[in-house]
Coordinates of all heavy atoms in Angstrom, one line a residue:
M257 N 64.3 -31.3 -58.7 CA 65.6 -31.2 -59.3 C 66.7 -31.6 -58.3 O 67.6 -32.3 -58.8 CB 65.8 -29.7 -59.7 CG 66.9 -29.5 -60.6 SD 67.0 -27.9 -61.4 CE 66.6 -26.8 -60.1
G258 N 66.6 -31.3 -57.1 CA 67.6 -31.6 -56.1 C 67.5 -33.0 -55.6 O 68.4 -33.8 -55.6
C259 N 66.3 -33.4 -55.1 CA 66.1 -34.7 -54.6 C 65.5 -35.7 -55.5 O 65.4 -36.9 -55.2 CB 65.3 -34.6 -53.3 SG 63.6 -34.0 -53.6
R260 N 64.9 -35.2 -56.6 CA 64.3 -36.0 -57.7 C 63.0 -36.7 -57.2 O 62.6 -37.6 -57.9 CB 65.3 -37.1 -58.2 CG 66.5 -36.5 -58.8 CD 67.4 -37.6 -59.3 NE 68.8 -37.0 -59.5 CZ 69.8 -37.8 -59.9 NH1 69.6 -39.1 -60.0 NH2 70.9 -37.2 -60.1
R261 N 62.4 -36.3 -56.1 CA 61.1 -36.8 -55.7 C 60.0 -36.1 -56.5 O 60.1 -35.0 -56.8 CB 60.9 -36.6 -54.2 CG 61.7 -37.6 -53.4 CD 61.4 -37.3 -51.9 NE 62.0 -36.0 -51.6 CZ 61.5 -35.2 -50.7 NH1 60.4 -35.5 -50.1 NH2 62.1 -34.1 -50.4
R262 N 58.9 -36.8 -56.7 CA 57.8 -36.3 -57.4 C 56.9 -35.5 -56.4 O 56.8 -35.9 -55.2 CB 57.0 -37.3 -58.1 CG 57.6 -38.0 -59.2 CD 56.8 -39.0 -59.9 NE 57.3 -39.3 -61.2 CZ 56.7 -38.9 -62.3 NH1 55.7 -38.1 -62.3 NH2 57.2 -39.2 -63.5
A263 N 56.2 -34.5 -56.8 CA 55.3 -33.8 -56.0 C 54.4 -33.0 -56.9 O 54.6 -32.8 -58.1 CB 56.1 -32.8 -55.0
L264 N 53.3 -32.5 -56.3 CA 52.3 -31.6 -57.0 C 53.0 -30.3 -57.3 O 53.9 -29.8 -56.6 CB 51.1 -31.4 -56.1 CG 50.3 -32.6 -55.8 CD1 49.2 -32.2 -54.8 CD2 49.7 -33.3 -57.0
N265 N 52.6 -29.7 -58.4 CA 53.1 -28.4 -58.8 C 52.9 -27.3 -57.7 O 53.7 -26.5 -57.6 CB 52.5 -27.9 -60.1 CG 53.0 -28.7 -61.3 OD1 54.0 -29.4 -61.2 ND2 52.4 -28.5 -62.5
S266 N 51.8 -27.4 -57.0 CA 51.6 -26.4 -56.0 C 52.6 -26.5 -54.8 O 52.7 -25.6 -54.1 CB 50.1 -26.6 -55.4 OG 50.0 -27.9 -54.9
E267 N 53.3 -27.7 -54.7 CA 54.2 -27.8 -53.6 C 55.6 -27.5 -54.1 O 56.6 -27.5 -53.3 CB 54.2 -29.3 -53.1 CG 52.9 -29.7 -52.5 CD 52.8 -31.2 -52.2 OE1 53.9 -31.9 -52.4 OE2 51.8 -31.6 -51.8
L268 N 55.8 -27.1 -55.3 CA 57.2 -26.9 -55.9 C 57.3 -25.4 -56.3 O 56.3 -24.7 -56.6 CB 57.4 -27.8 -57.1 CG 57.3 -29.3 -56.9 CD1 57.3 -30.0 -58.2 CD2 58.4 -29.7 -56.0
L269 N 58.6 -25.0 -56.4 CA 58.9 -23.7 -57.0 C 59.4 -23.9 -58.4 O 60.1 -24.8 -58.7 CB 60.1 -23.1 -56.2 CG 59.8 -22.6 -54.8 CD1 61.1 -22.2 -54.2 CD2 58.8 -21.5 -54.7
R270 N 58.9 -23.0 -59.3 CA 59.4 -23.0 -60.6 C 60.5 -22.0 -60.7 O 60.5 -20.9 -60.3 CB 58.3 -22.6 -61.6 CG 58.8 -22.6 -63.1 CD 57.6 -22.3 -64.0 NE 58.1 -22.5 -65.4 CZ 58.5 -21.5 -66.2 NH1 58.6 -20.3 -65.8 NH2 58.9 -21.8 -67.5
L271 N 61.6 -22.5 -61.3 CA 62.8 -21.7 -61.5 C 63.1 -21.5 -63.0 O 62.9 -22.4 -63.8 CB 64.0 -22.4 -60.8 CG 63.8 -22.8 -59.3 CD1 65.0 -23.6 -58.9 CD2 63.6 -21.6 -58.5
V272 N 63.7 -20.4 -63.3 CA 64.1 -20.1 -64.7 C 65.5 -19.4 -64.6 O 65.8 -18.8 -63.6 CB 63.1 -19.2 -65.5 CG1 61.8 -19.9 -65.7 CG2 62.9 -17.9 -64.8
A273 N 66.2 -19.5 -65.7 CA 67.5 -18.8 -65.8 C 67.3 -17.4 -66.4 O 66.6 -17.3 -67.4 CB 68.5 -19.6 -66.7
A274 N 67.9 -16.4 -65.8 CA 67.9 -15.1 -66.3 C 69.2 -14.3 -66.0 O 69.5 -14.2 -64.8 CB 66.7 -14.3 -65.7
D275 N 69.9 -13.9 -67.0 CA 71.1 -13.1 -66.8 C 72.2 -13.8 -65.9 O 72.8 -13.2 -65.0 CB 70.8 -11.7 -66.2 CG 69.9 -10.9 -67.1 OD1 70.1 -11.0 -68.3 OD2 69.1 -10.2 -66.6
G276 N 72.4 -15.1 -66.1 CA 73.4 -15.8 -65.4 C 73.0 -16.2 -63.9 O 73.9 -16.5 -63.2
R277 N 71.8 -16.1 -63.6 CA 71.3 -16.5 -62.3 C 70.0 -17.2 -62.3 O 69.3 -17.1 -63.3 CB 71.2 -15.3 -61.3 CG 70.3 -14.2 -61.8 CD 70.5 -12.9 -61.0 NE 69.7 -11.9 -61.6 CZ 68.5 -11.6 -61.1 NH1 68.0 -12.2 -60.1 NH2 67.8 -10.6 -61.7
V278 N 69.7 -17.9 -61.3 CA 68.4 -18.7 -61.2 C 67.4 -17.8 -60.5 O 67.7 -17.2 -59.5 CB 68.6 -20.0 -60.4 CG1 67.3 -20.7 -60.3 CG2 69.7 -20.8 -61.0
V279 N 66.2 -17.6 -61.1 CA 65.2 -16.7 -60.6 C 64.0 -17.6 -60.2 O 63.6 -18.5 -61.0 CB 64.8 -15.7 -61.6 CG1 63.7 -14.8 -61.1 CG2 66.1 -14.9 -62.0
V280 N 63.3 -17.3 -59.1 CA 62.1 -17.9 -58.7 C 61.0 -17.3 -59.5 O 60.8 -16.1 -59.5 CB 61.8 -17.8 -57.2 CG1 60.5 -18.4 -56.8 CG2 62.9 -18.4 -56.4
D281 N 60.2 -18.1 -60.2 CA 59.1 -17.7 -61.0 C 57.8 -17.9 -60.2 O 57.1 -18.9 -60.3 CB 59.0 -18.4 -62.3 CG 57.9 -17.9 -63.3 OD1 57.3 -16.9 -62.9 OD2 57.7 -18.6 -64.3
E282 N 57.5 -17.0 -59.3 CA 56.3 -17.1 -58.4 C 55.0 -17.2 -59.1 O 54.2 -18.0 -58.7 CB 56.3 -16.0 -57.4 CG 57.5 -16.0 -56.5 CD 57.4 -14.9 -55.5 OE1 56.3 -14.7 -54.9 OE2 58.4 -14.2 -55.2
R283 N 54.8 -16.5 -60.2 CA 53.5 -16.5 -60.9 C 53.5 -17.6 -62.0 O 52.5 -17.8 -62.7 CB 53.3 -15.1 -61.5 CG 53.1 -14.1 -60.4 CD 52.8 -12.7 -61.0 NE 51.6 -12.8 -61.8 CZ 51.3 -12.1 -62.8 NH1 52.2 -11.2 -63.2 NH2 50.2 -12.2 -63.5
R284 N 54.7 -18.2 -62.2 CA 54.8 -19.3 -63.2 C 54.5 -18.8 -64.6 O 53.8 -19.5 -65.4 CB 54.0 -20.5 -62.8 CG 54.4 -21.1 -61.5 CD 53.5 -22.1 -61.0 NE 53.9 -22.4 -59.6 CZ 53.6 -23.6 -59.1 NH1 52.9 -24.5 -59.7 NH2 54.1 -23.8 -57.9
R285 N 54.9 -17.6 -64.9 CA 54.6 -17.0 -66.2 C 55.9 -16.5 -67.0 O 55.8 -16.1 -68.1 CB 53.8 -15.8 -66.0 CG 52.4 -16.0 -65.3 CD 51.4 -16.4 -66.3 NE 50.0 -16.4 -65.8 CZ 49.5 -17.4 -65.1 NH1 50.2 -18.4 -64.7 NH2 48.3 -17.4 -64.7
L286 N 57.1 -16.6 -66.4 CA 58.3 -16.1 -67.0 C 58.6 -17.0 -68.2 O 58.4 -18.2 -68.2 CB 59.4 -16.1 -66.1 CG 59.4 -15.1 -64.9 CD1 60.6 -15.3 -64.0 CD2 59.3 -13.7 -65.5
P287 N 59.1 -16.4 -69.3 CA 59.5 -17.1 -70.5 C 60.7 -18.0 -70.3 O 61.5 -17.7 -69.4 CB 59.7 -16.1 -71.5 CG 60.2 -14.9 -70.7 CD 59.4 -14.9 -69.5
G288 N 60.9 -19.0 -71.1 CA 62.0 -19.8 -71.0 C 61.8 -21.2 -70.4 O 60.7 -21.4 -69.8
R289 N 62.8 -22.0 -70.4 CA 62.7 -23.3 -69.8 C 62.6 -23.2 -68.3 O 63.4 -22.5 -67.7 CB 63.9 -24.1 -70.3 CG 63.8 -25.5 -69.8 CD 64.9 -26.4 -70.5 NE 64.9 -27.7 -70.0 CZ 64.1 -28.7 -70.6 NH1 63.3 -28.3 -71.6 NH2 64.1 -29.9 -70.1
G290 N 61.8 -24.0 -67.7 CA 61.6 -23.9 -66.3 C 62.1 -25.2 -65.7 O 62.1 -26.3 -66.3
A291 N 62.5 -25.2 -64.4 CA 62.8 -26.4 -63.6 C 62.1 -26.3 -62.3 O 61.7 -25.1 -61.9 CB 64.3 -26.4 -63.4
W292 N 61.8 -27.4 -61.7 CA 61.0 -27.4 -60.4 C 61.8 -27.9 -59.3 O 62.6 -28.8 -59.4 CB 59.8 -28.4 -60.7 CG 58.9 -27.9 -61.8 CD1 59.1 -28.2 -63.1 CD2 57.8 -27.0 -61.7 NE1 58.1 -27.5 -63.8 CE2 57.3 -26.8 -63.0 CE3 57.2 -26.3 -60.6 CZ2 56.2 -25.9 -63.3 CZ3 56.2 -25.5 -60.9 CH2 55.7 -25.3 -62.2
L293 N 61.6 -27.3 -58.1 CA 62.4 -27.5 -56.9 C 61.4 -27.5 -55.7 O 60.6 -26.7 -55.6 CB 63.5 -26.5 -56.7 CG 64.4 -26.6 -55.6 CD1 65.4 -27.7 -55.9 CD2 65.1 -25.3 -55.3
H294 N 61.7 -28.4 -54.8 CA 60.9 -28.4 -53.5 C 61.3 -27.2 -52.7 O 62.3 -26.6 -52.8 CB 61.2 -29.6 -52.7 CG 60.6 -30.9 -53.2 ND1 61.3 -31.8 -53.9 CD2 59.3 -31.4 -53.1 CE1 60.5 -32.8 -54.3 NE2 59.3 -32.6 -53.7
R295 N 60.3 -26.7 -51.9 CA 60.6 -25.6 -51.0 C 61.4 -25.9 -49.8 O 61.0 -25.6 -48.7 CB 59.2 -25.0 -50.6 CG 58.4 -24.5 -51.8 CD 57.0 -24.2 -51.3 NE 56.1 -24.1 -52.5 CZ 55.7 -22.9 -52.9 NH1 56.0 -21.8 -52.3 NH2 54.9 -22.8 -54.0
D296 N 62.4 -26.7 -50.0 CA 63.3 -27.2 -48.9 C 64.7 -26.8 -49.2 O 65.2 -27.1 -50.2 CB 63.1 -28.7 -48.9 CG 63.9 -29.3 -47.8 OD1 64.4 -28.6 -46.9 OD2 64.1 -30.6 -47.9
P297 N 65.4 -26.1 -48.2 CA 66.8 -25.7 -48.4 C 67.7 -26.9 -48.7 O 68.7 -26.8 -49.4 CB 67.1 -25.0 -47.1 CG 65.9 -24.6 -46.5 CD 64.8 -25.6 -46.9
E298 N 67.4 -28.1 -48.1 CA 68.2 -29.2 -48.4 C 68.1 -29.7 -49.8 O 69.1 -30.1 -50.4 CB 67.8 -30.4 -47.5 CG 68.6 -31.6 -47.6 CD 70.1 -31.4 -47.4 OE1 70.4 -30.6 -46.5 OE2 70.9 -32.1 -48.0
C299 N 66.9 -29.5 -50.4 CA 66.8 -29.9 -51.8 C 67.6 -28.9 -52.7 O 68.2 -29.3 -53.7 CB 65.3 -29.8 -52.2 SG 64.9 -30.5 -53.8
L300 N 67.6 -27.6 -52.3 CA 68.4 -26.7 -53.0 C 69.9 -27.0 -52.9 O 70.6 -26.9 -53.9 CB 68.1 -25.2 -52.5 CG 69.0 -24.1 -53.0 CD1 68.8 -23.9 -54.5 CD2 68.7 -22.8 -52.3
S301 N 70.3 -27.4 -51.7 CA 71.7 -27.7 -51.5 C 72.1 -28.9 -52.4 O 73.2 -28.9 -53.0 CB 72.0 -28.0 -50.1 OG 71.8 -26.9 -49.3
R302 N 71.3 -29.9 -52.5 CA 71.6 -31.1 -53.3 C 71.7 -30.7 -54.8 O 72.5 -31.1 -55.5 CB 70.5 -32.1 -53.2 CG 70.5 -32.8 -51.8 CD 69.4 -33.8 -51.8 NE 69.4 -34.4 -50.4 CZ 68.5 -35.3 -50.0 NH1 67.5 -35.6 -50.8 NH2 68.5 -35.8 -48.8
A303 N 70.8 -29.8 -55.2 CA 70.8 -29.3 -56.6 C 72.1 -28.6 -56.9 O 72.7 -28.7 -58.0 CB 69.6 -28.5 -56.9
E304 N 72.5 -27.8 -56.0 CA 73.8 -27.0 -56.2 C 75.0 -28.0 -56.2 O 75.9 -27.8 -57.0 CB 74.0 -26.0 -55.1 CG 73.0 -24.8 -55.2 CD 73.2 -23.8 -54.0 OE1 73.3 -24.3 -52.9 OE2 73.1 -22.6 -54.3
R305 N 75.0 -29.0 -55.3 CA 76.1 -29.9 -55.3 C 76.2 -30.7 -56.5 O 77.3 -31.0 -57.0 CB 76.0 -30.9 -54.1 CG 76.5 -30.3 -52.8 CD 76.6 -31.5 -51.7 NE 75.4 -32.2 -51.6 CZ 74.5 -32.1 -50.6 NH1 74.6 -31.1 -49.8 NH2 73.4 -32.8 -50.6
R306 N 75.1 -31.1 -57.1 CA 75.0 -31.9 -58.3 C 75.2 -31.0 -59.6 O 75.2 -31.5 -60.7 CB 73.7 -32.6 -58.4 CG 73.6 -33.7 -57.4 CD 72.2 -34.4 -57.4 NE 71.8 -34.7 -58.8 CZ 70.6 -34.2 -59.3 NH1 69.7 -33.6 -58.5 NH2 70.2 -34.5 -60.5
R307 N 75.2 -29.7 -59.4 CA 75.2 -28.7 -60.6 C 74.1 -29.0 -61.5 O 74.2 -29.0 -62.7 CB 76.6 -28.9 -61.3 CG 77.7 -28.5 -60.4 CD 79.0 -28.6 -61.1 NE 80.1 -28.4 -60.1 CZ 81.3 -28.9 -60.3 NH1 81.6 -29.4 -61.4 NH2 82.2 -28.7 -59.4
A308 N 72.9 -29.2 -60.9 CA 71.7 -29.5 -61.7 C 71.1 -28.3 -62.4 O 70.3 -28.5 -63.4 CB 70.7 -30.2 -60.8
F309 N 71.3 -27.1 -62.0 CA 70.6 -26.0 -62.6 C 71.0 -25.8 -64.0 O 70.1 -25.6 -64.8 CB 71.0 -24.7 -61.8 CG 70.4 -24.7 -60.4 CD1 71.2 -24.6 -59.3 CD2 69.0 -24.7 -60.2 CE1 70.6 -24.6 -58.0 CE2 68.4 -24.7 -59.0 CZ 69.3 -24.6 -57.9
S310 N 72.3 -25.8 -64.4 CA 72.6 -25.6 -65.8 C 72.1 -26.7 -66.7 O 71.7 -26.5 -67.8 CB 74.1 -25.5 -66.0 OG 74.8 -25.7 -64.9
R311 N 72.1 -28.0 -66.1 CA 71.6 -29.1 -67.0 C 70.0 -29.0 -67.1 O 69.5 -29.1 -68.2 CB 71.9 -30.4 -66.3 CG 73.3 -30.9 -66.6 CD 73.5 -32.4 -66.2 NE 73.0 -32.7 -64.9 CZ 73.6 -32.6 -63.7 NH1 74.9 -32.2 -63.7 NH2 73.1 -33.0 -62.6
A312 N 69.3 -28.7 -66.0 CA 67.9 -28.7 -66.1 C 67.4 -27.5 -66.9 O 66.4 -27.6 -67.6 CB 67.3 -28.6 -64.7
L313 N 68.1 -26.4 -66.8 CA 67.6 -25.2 -67.5 C 68.3 -25.1 -68.9 O 68.0 -24.1 -69.6 CB 67.9 -23.9 -66.7 CG 67.1 -23.9 -65.4 CD1 67.6 -22.8 -64.5 CD2 65.7 -23.8 -65.6
R314 N 69.2 -26.0 -69.2 CA 69.9 -26.1 -70.5 C 70.6 -24.8 -70.8 O 70.4 -24.2 -71.9 CB 68.9 -26.5 -71.6 CG 68.4 -27.9 -71.5 CD 67.6 -28.3 -72.6 NE 67.1 -29.7 -72.4 CZ 66.2 -30.2 -73.2 NH1 65.7 -29.6 -74.2 NH2 65.8 -31.4 -72.9
V315 N 71.5 -24.4 -69.9 CA 72.3 -23.2 -70.2 C 73.7 -23.6 -69.9 O 74.0 -24.5 -69.1 CB 71.9 -22.0 -69.3 CG1 70.6 -21.5 -69.7 CG2 72.0 -22.3 -67.8
S316 N 74.7 -23.0 -70.5 CA 76.1 -23.3 -70.3 C 76.6 -22.4 -69.2 O 76.2 -21.3 -69.0 CB 76.9 -23.1 -71.5 OG 76.8 -21.8 -72.0
G317 N 77.6 -22.9 -68.4 CA 78.2 -22.1 -67.3 C 77.5 -22.4 -66.0 O 76.5 -23.1 -65.9
V318 N 78.0 -21.7 -65.0 CA 77.5 -21.9 -63.6 C 76.5 -20.8 -63.4 O 76.7 -19.6 -63.7 CB 78.6 -21.8 -62.6 CG1 78.1 -21.9 -61.2 CG2 79.6 -22.8 -62.9
L319 N 75.3 -21.1 -62.8 CA 74.3 -20.1 -62.5 C 74.3 -19.8 -61.0 O 74.5 -20.7 -60.2 CB 72.9 -20.7 -62.8 CG 72.7 -20.9 -64.3 CD1 71.4 -21.7 -64.5 CD2 72.7 -19.6 -65.1
D320 N 74.1 -18.6 -60.7 CA 74.0 -18.1 -59.3 C 72.6 -18.4 -58.7 O 71.6 -17.9 -59.2 CB 74.3 -16.6 -59.2 CG 74.2 -16.1 -57.8 OD1 74.5 -16.8 -56.8 OD2 73.9 -14.9 -57.6
A321 N 72.6 -19.2 -57.6 CA 71.3 -19.5 -57.0 C 71.0 -18.8 -55.7 O 70.2 -19.2 -54.9 CB 71.2 -21.1 -56.8
G322 N 71.7 -17.7 -55.5 CA 71.6 -16.9 -54.2 C 70.1 -16.4 -54.1 O 69.6 -16.3 -52.9
G323 N 69.5 -16.0 -55.1 CA 68.2 -15.5 -55.1 C 67.2 -16.5 -54.6 O 66.2 -16.3 -53.9
V324 N 67.4 -17.8 -55.0 CA 66.5 -18.9 -54.7 C 66.7 -19.2 -53.2 O 65.7 -19.4 -52.4 CB 66.8 -20.1 -55.5 CG1 66.0 -21.3 -55.0 CG2 66.6 -19.9 -57.0
R325 N 68.0 -19.1 -52.7 CA 68.2 -19.3 -51.3 C 67.6 -18.3 -50.4 O 67.0 -18.6 -49.4 CB 69.7 -19.4 -51.0 CG 70.1 -19.7 -49.6 CD 71.6 -20.0 -49.4 NE 72.2 -20.9 -50.4 CZ 72.0 -22.2 -50.3 NH1 71.2 -22.8 -49.4 NH2 72.6 -23.0 -51.2
D326 N 67.7 -17.0 -50.9 CA 67.0 -15.9 -50.1 C 65.5 -16.1 -50.1 O 64.8 -15.9 -49.1 CB 67.3 -14.6 -50.8 CG 68.8 -14.2 -50.6 OD1 69.5 -14.8 -49.8 OD2 69.2 -13.4 -51.4
H327 N 64.9 -16.5 -51.2 CA 63.5 -16.8 -51.3 C 63.1 -17.9 -50.3 O 62.0 -17.8 -49.6 CB 63.1 -17.2 -52.7 CG 61.6 -17.3 -52.9 ND1 60.8 -16.3 -53.1 CD2 60.8 -18.5 -52.9 CE1 59.5 -16.7 -53.2 NE2 59.6 -18.1 -53.1
L328 N 63.8 -19.0 -50.2 CA 63.5 -20.1 -49.3 C 63.6 -19.6 -47.9 O 62.9 -20.1 -47.0 CB 64.4 -21.3 -49.6 CG 64.1 -22.0 -50.9 CD1 65.1 -23.1 -51.1 CD2 62.7 -22.6 -50.9
E329 N 64.6 -18.8 -47.6 CA 64.8 -18.3 -46.2 C 63.6 -17.4 -45.8 O 63.1 -17.4 -44.7 CB 66.1 -17.5 -46.1 CG 67.3 -18.4 -46.1 CD 68.6 -17.6 -46.1 OE1 68.5 -16.3 -46.1 OE2 69.6 -18.2 -46.2
R330 N 63.0 -16.6 -46.7 CA 61.8 -15.8 -46.4 C 60.6 -16.7 -46.2 O 59.8 -16.4 -45.4 CB 61.6 -14.8 -47.5 CG 62.4 -13.6 -47.5 CD 62.1 -12.7 -48.6 NE 62.3 -13.5 -49.8 CZ 62.4 -13.0 -51.0 NH1 62.2 -11.7 -51.2 NH2 62.7 -13.7 -52.1
L331 N 60.5 -17.8 -46.9 CA 59.4 -18.7 -46.8 C 59.5 -19.6 -45.5 O 58.5 -20.0 -45.0 CB 59.3 -19.7 -48.0 CG 58.9 -19.1 -49.3 CD1 58.9 -20.2 -50.3 CD2 57.6 -18.5 -49.2
A332 N 60.6 -19.8 -45.0 CA 60.8 -20.7 -43.8 C 59.9 -20.3 -42.6 O 59.3 -21.2 -42.1 CB 62.3 -20.7 -43.4
P333 N 59.8 -19.1 -42.2 CA 58.9 -18.9 -41.0 C 57.5 -19.1 -41.3 O 56.7 -19.5 -40.5 CB 59.1 -17.4 -40.7 CG 60.4 -17.0 -41.3 CD 60.6 -17.9 -42.5
D334 N 57.1 -18.9 -42.6 CA 55.7 -19.1 -43.0 C 55.3 -20.6 -43.1 O 54.1 -20.9 -42.8 CB 55.4 -18.5 -44.3 CG 55.5 -17.0 -44.3 OD1 55.5 -16.4 -43.2 OD2 55.8 -16.4 -45.3
S335 N 56.2 -21.4 -43.4 CA 55.9 -22.8 -43.6 C 56.0 -23.7 -42.4 O 55.8 -24.9 -42.4 CB 56.8 -23.4 -44.7 OG 58.1 -23.4 -44.3
T336 N 56.4 -23.1 -41.2 CA 56.6 -23.9 -40.0 C 55.7 -23.4 -38.9 O 55.6 -22.2 -38.7 CB 58.0 -24.0 -39.6 OG1 58.5 -22.6 -39.3 CG2 58.9 -24.6 -40.6
E337 N 55.2 -24.2 -38.1 CA 54.5 -23.8 -36.9 C 55.2 -24.3 -35.6 O 55.5 -23.5 -34.8 CB 53.1 -24.5 -36.9 CG 52.1 -23.9 -37.8 CD 50.8 -24.5 -37.7 OE1 50.4 -25.0 -36.7 OE2 50.0 -24.5 -38.7
T338 N 55.6 -25.5 -35.6 CA 56.3 -26.0 -34.4 C 57.7 -26.6 -34.8 O 58.2 -27.4 -34.1 CB 55.5 -27.2 -33.8 OG1 55.3 -28.2 -34.8 CG2 54.1 -26.7 -33.3
G339 N 58.2 -26.1 -35.8 CA 59.5 -26.5 -36.2 C 59.6 -27.5 -37.3 O 60.6 -27.9 -37.8
T340 N 58.4 -28.1 -37.7 CA 58.3 -29.1 -38.7 C 57.5 -28.5 -39.9 O 56.5 -27.9 -39.7 CB 57.7 -30.4 -38.2 OG1 56.4 -30.1 -37.7 CG2 58.5 -31.0 -37.1
P341 N 57.9 -28.8 -41.1 CA 57.2 -28.3 -42.3 C 55.8 -28.9 -42.4 O 55.7 -30.1 -42.0 CB 58.0 -28.6 -43.5 CG 59.3 -29.2 -43.0 CD 59.1 -29.4 -41.5
R342 N 54.9 -28.2 -42.9 CA 53.5 -28.7 -43.1 C 53.6 -29.6 -44.4 O 54.2 -29.3 -45.4 CB 52.5 -27.6 -43.4 CG 52.0 -26.9 -42.2 CD 51.0 -26.0 -42.7 NE 50.3 -25.4 -41.5 CZ 49.3 -24.6 -41.6 NH1 48.9 -24.2 -42.8 NH2 48.8 -24.1 -40.5
S343 N 52.8 -30.7 -44.3 CA 52.7 -31.5 -45.5 C 51.4 -31.1 -46.2 O 50.5 -30.4 -45.6 CB 52.7 -32.9 -45.2 OG 51.5 -33.3 -44.5
G344 N 51.1 -31.5 -47.4 CA 49.9 -31.2 -48.1 C 48.7 -31.6 -47.4 O 47.6 -31.0 -47.5
S345 N 48.7 -32.8 -46.7 CA 47.5 -33.3 -46.0 C 47.2 -32.5 -44.8 O 46.1 -32.7 -44.2 CB 47.7 -34.8 -45.7 OG 48.8 -34.9 -44.8
E346 N 48.1 -31.7 -44.2 CA 47.8 -31.0 -43.0 C 47.3 -29.6 -43.2 O 47.0 -28.9 -42.3 CB 49.1 -30.9 -42.2 CG 49.6 -32.2 -41.7 CD 50.9 -32.0 -40.9 OE1 51.0 -31.0 -40.2 OE2 51.8 -32.8 -41.1
R347 N 47.1 -29.2 -44.4 CA 46.5 -27.9 -44.7 C 45.1 -27.8 -44.2 O 44.3 -28.7 -44.4 CB 46.6 -27.6 -46.2 CG 48.0 -27.4 -46.6 CD 48.1 -26.9 -48.0 NE 49.5 -26.9 -48.4 CZ 50.0 -27.1 -49.6 NH1 49.1 -27.4 -50.5 NH2 51.2 -27.1 -49.8
R348 N 44.8 -26.7 -43.7 CA 43.4 -26.5 -43.2 C 42.5 -25.9 -44.3 O 42.9 -25.1 -45.1 CB 43.4 -25.5 -42.0 CG 44.2 -26.1 -40.8 CD 44.2 -25.2 -39.7 NE 45.0 -25.8 -38.6 CZ 45.3 -25.1 -37.5 NH1 45.0 -23.9 -37.4 NH2 46.0 -25.7 -36.6
K349 N 41.3 -26.3 -44.3 CA 40.3 -25.7 -45.2 C 39.8 -24.4 -44.7 O 39.6 -24.2 -43.5 CB 39.2 -26.7 -45.4 CG 39.5 -28.0 -46.1 CD 38.3 -28.8 -46.3 CE 38.7 -30.1 -46.9 NZ 37.6 -31.0 -47.1
Q350 N 39.6 -23.5 -45.6 CA 39.0 -22.2 -45.2 C 37.5 -22.3 -45.0 O 36.8 -22.9 -45.8 CB 39.3 -21.2 -46.3 CG 38.9 -19.8 -45.9 CD 39.4 -18.8 -46.9 OE1 39.9 -19.1 -47.9 NE2 39.1 -17.5 -46.6
V351 N 37.0 -21.8 -43.9 CA 35.7 -22.0 -43.5 C 35.0 -20.6 -43.7 O 35.5 -19.6 -43.3 CB 35.5 -22.5 -42.0 CG1 34.1 -22.6 -41.6 CG2 36.2 -23.8 -41.9
D352 N 33.8 -20.6 -44.2 CA 33.0 -19.4 -44.4 C 32.4 -19.0 -43.0 O 31.7 -19.8 -42.4 CB 31.8 -19.7 -45.4 CG 31.0 -18.4 -45.7 OD1 31.5 -17.3 -45.4 OD2 29.9 -18.6 -46.2
P353 N 32.7 -17.8 -42.5 CA 32.3 -17.4 -41.2 C 30.8 -17.1 -41.1 O 30.3 -16.9 -40.0 CB 33.1 -16.1 -40.9 CG 33.5 -15.6 -42.3 CD 33.6 -16.8 -43.2
S354 N 30.1 -17.0 -42.2 CA 28.7 -16.6 -42.0 C 27.8 -17.8 -41.6 O 28.0 -18.9 -41.5 CB 28.2 -16.1 -43.4 OG 28.4 -17.0 -44.4

C-alpha cells in the first residue's frame, strides 16, 4: 500500500479499519476489507503521506495509524540482527535435533 511493491502474504501485514483507526490483523481473520503493508516503517510513512489508508480500506475520513506504527516498532528488534532487515531468502530452516 505504501510503496506498491509486490510481496508474499507472509512478508506483509494485513490491516483493517476499526473505530476510526487502522488495526493490524495478525491472525488475518478480522472482518472487513483488508489492505496489505510491508513490515517497514518507511512503507508506513509513504502510505500516510499519500493518505492511502482511507482509499485502500474504502472508508471516509482520516484514519489513525498509531497502532500500526507501534506494532512495527515492536517488530523492529526481532527482524534485525546486524542492523539490516532479513529478506525471505535468508531465513534459516528449522532442523530436527534428533
Side-chain angles (χ1 to χ4, degrees):
M257 188 169 47
C259 63
R260 301 181 193 172
R261 284 182 289 145
R262 290 181 166 256
L264 298 173
N265 285 351
S266 60
E267 298 173 3
L268 301 171
L269 290 175
R270 182 176 188 263
L271 307 174
V272 295
D275 300 324
R277 57 193 175 95
V278 180
V279 178
V280 177
D281 184 7
E282 292 183 44
R283 296 182 60 211
R284 300 171 186 203
R285 302 273 191 279
L286 291 176
R289 183 172 180 84
W292 299 88
L293 182 77
H294 285 98
R295 298 169 192 256
D296 180 13
E298 181 60 32
C299 193
L300 174 63
S301 297
R302 288 179 185 173
E304 288 177 318
R305 277 193 308 262
R306 292 179 38 237
R307 298 179 188 160
F309 291 116
S310 6
R311 279 193 313 271
L313 299 171
R314 294 187 182 171
V315 294
S316 59
V318 178
L319 295 171
D320 177 29
V324 178
R325 186 170 308 286
D326 293 340
H327 184 81
L328 290 176
E329 288 173 1
R330 281 182 297 196
L331 289 179
D334 296 337
S335 65
T336 60
E337 288 184 23
T338 60
T340 58
R342 280 186 173 184
S343 67
S345 62
E346 293 178 40
R347 293 191 183 142
R348 296 182 182 169
K349 293 183 181 178
Q350 188 172 1
V351 179
D352 186 16
S354 57

